[in-house]
Amino acid sequence: MTRPTDTHTDTHTGTHTGTQADLDCKGLLCPLPVYRAGQAMAKLAAGDVLRVECTDPGSLADFPAFARQRGYTLLSAETHGDVQIFYLRKEGDR
């Protein structure tokens, strides 16, 4: 389930990057986290950011490939314990 939050600031540039939405994919296995992220990204406007939380270790390889193939920007990929957190920014009309 995605839920919009306020805004996201790019930690690399410090600039505002648009609205942020959160997607909880904890407990889901491949290909569901990437599939659900694709559905959520389709609803966002250019410049908006999706924050995805996953517990599938394969997500560490899946999300960079997903971003590259779809033309999204992977702003960061972090691991906190068993949870992987990804920030993806939608570029253009994709």
Side-chain angles (χ1 to χ4, degrees), residues 41 47 63-74 88-94:
M41 291 296 280
F63 274 91
F66 168 71
R68 194 172 44 256
Q69 291 170 353
R70 296 281 184 97
Y72 304 138
T73 300
L74 180 62
L88 299 153
R89 182 174 56 219
K90 185 171 185 176
E91 307 293 345
D93 293 330
R94 292 184 151 197

Side-chain angles (χ1 to χ4, degrees), residues 18-80:
T19 302
Q20 177 181 308
D22 294 312
L23 180 63
D24 183 353
C25 290
K26 293 187 295 282
L28 300 178
L29 298 175
C30 184
L32 288 176
V34 168
Y35 176 73
R36 294 217 176 140
Q39 290 178 317
M41 291 296 280
K43 297 176 184 176
L44 299 179
D48 288 351
V49 173
L50 179 66
R51 179 181 185 270
V52 184
E53 291 188 1
C54 302
T55 52
D56 179 7
S59 295
L60 293 170
D62 294 343
F63 274 91
F66 168 71
R68 194 172 44 256
Q69 291 170 353
R70 296 281 184 97
Y72 304 138
T73 300
L74 180 62
L75 298 173
S76 68
E78 308 165 2
T79 301
H80 298 275

